[in-house]
Amino acid sequence: MRKKIVAGNWKCNTTVQGGLELAKDVMAKVAESGDPEVQVVVCPPFVHITGVVSIVDGNQVKVGAQNCAAEPKGAFTGEVSAEMVKSTGADYVILGHSERREYYADNSAVLNKKLALALANGLTPIYCCGEPLAIREAGTQNEYVKKQFEETIFQLSEEDFRKLVIAYEPIWAIGTGKTASSAQAQEMHAFLRSAIAEKFGDEVAQATSILYGGSCNASNAKELFANPDVDGGLIGGASLDAVSFLAIVNGFRA
Ligand code: PEP
């Protein structure tokens, strides 16, 4: 059975103090009412990670970074390496988020370096993919996202591919309040699973968690998560409030 995962991407929000409070609240709510079948992950800014790792119970809440460097170490001022992320006790790293692709030139070549370093350091990449609005309007979203796979994660060995979590995040739905419909999400997730099956076989495809991201919130999570190919969510805005985040975590419950 593939893992159900709900991961919070805090982006560039919260001070260290505010982030630790949020982590404490998330931890308390997961302990009190979390769904034991769902792996909860929080991805704070780098400078919060060590503190957040020390606050949460790693059996119930995992921690991830939002990025890592494309180089292992050295004279790269301001960068944070995959090895450093791992040394904090974090387990996950978001790679290929559309904001990184758009504002920080994380193209396929850069992403391949980051993926290799994340995997070599024992981190689980949450690999993001998704199309812009113009592509969705042209109806070529499947080809667009498949090409993203072909240029990056389809170049991994099967052994490494099995370590990934995928997040489908249509760019037009991120932070816009405009969620993909449940049918649109299911259609894309099923397509991606079939593309994975074609590449690595059905057993690998069935074992790969594919999360949905893009204005997922407490009111639409249940419907989105009810789809057979939606294995959870990558949550931006709604992960900054422990109550709404937990309502999403519990969106798998009947
Ligand atoms: C995200 O950026 O990963 C995301 C899904 O953001 P939001 O939930 O705010 O749309």
Side-chain angles (χ1 to χ4, degrees):
M1 257 276 279
R2 55 186 177 256
K3 245 191 223 165
K4 294 174 183 168
I5 301 170
V6 174
N9 173 12
W10 295 2
K11 308 196 186 187
C12 187
N13 291 301
T14 73
T15 59
V16 170
Q17 293 77 12
L20 296 188
E21 280 306 309
L22 175 55
K24 242 184 244 166
D25 288 351
V26 169
M27 185 59 238
K29 292 209 169 356
V30 169
E32 183 186 291
S33 65
D35 182 339
E37 290 192 4
V38 178
Q39 176 64 68
V40 176
V41 182
V42 291
C43 301
F46 286 130
V47 293
H48 303 29
I49 293 180
T50 308
V52 171
V53 166
S54 69
I55 279 177
V56 299
D57 171 352
N59 293 317
Q60 297 181 82
V61 175
K62 301 277 186 209
V63 182
Q66 298 170 22
N67 181 33
C68 70
E71 302 298 335
K73 65 198 270 190
F76 301 102
T77 303
E79 287 293 88
V80 176
S81 71
E83 187 182 20
M84 291 173 200
V85 172
K86 185 64 184 178
S87 72
T88 63
D91 290 302
Y92 287 81
V93 60
I94 298 172
L95 291 176
H97 192 282
S98 59
E99 288 154 14
R100 299 278 334 163
R101 291 181 193 254
E102 184 177 353
Y103 308 136
Y104 300 98
D106 275 8
N107 58 28
S108 296
V110 170
L111 282 175
N112 285 338
K113 288 168 132 190
K114 294 186 176 189
L115 282 162
L117 286 164
L119 289 163
N121 283 284
L123 293 167
T124 299
I126 301 176
Y127 173 83
C128 302
C129 58
E131 78 287 354
L133 184 59
I135 295 291
R136 171 62 65 166
E137 285 174 348
T140 54
Q141 62 275 6
N142 290 5
E143 294 83 344
Y144 184 95
V145 180
K146 191 170 178 202
K147 185 159 178 279
Q148 289 182 320
F149 278 21
E150 282 164 351
E151 290 178 358
T152 55
I153 53 175
F154 276 2
Q155 299 195 20
L156 294 171
S157 65
E158 180 192 313
E159 189 189 346
D160 277 343
F161 186 89
R162 283 176 180 276
K163 297 173 185 159
L164 300 178
V165 170
I166 290 169
Y168 167 61
E169 300 204 302
I171 298 171
W172 46 271
I174 296 180
T176 58
K178 198 174 164 190
T179 322
S181 69
S182 174
Q184 283 172 322
Q186 169 56 25
E187 192 180 49
M188 177 58 89
H189 284 224
F191 169 73
L192 296 178
R193 204 175 301 286
S194 72
I196 296 166
E198 218 174 87
K199 175 74 186 170
F200 292 111
D202 197 49
E203 192 266 317
V204 175
Q206 291 307 324
T208 303
S209 297
I210 309 179
L211 316 183
Y212 168 79
S215 298
C216 183
N217 58 41
S219 7
N220 57 31
K222 208 180 246 310
E223 195 187 342
L224 286 161
F225 296 175
N227 287 301
D229 287 294
V230 177
D231 306 310
L234 180 56
I235 316 300
S239 71
L240 293 170
D241 175 80
V243 173
S244 61
F245 187 53
L246 258 290
I248 297 170
V249 170
N250 290 326
F252 283 104
R253 285 185 173 146

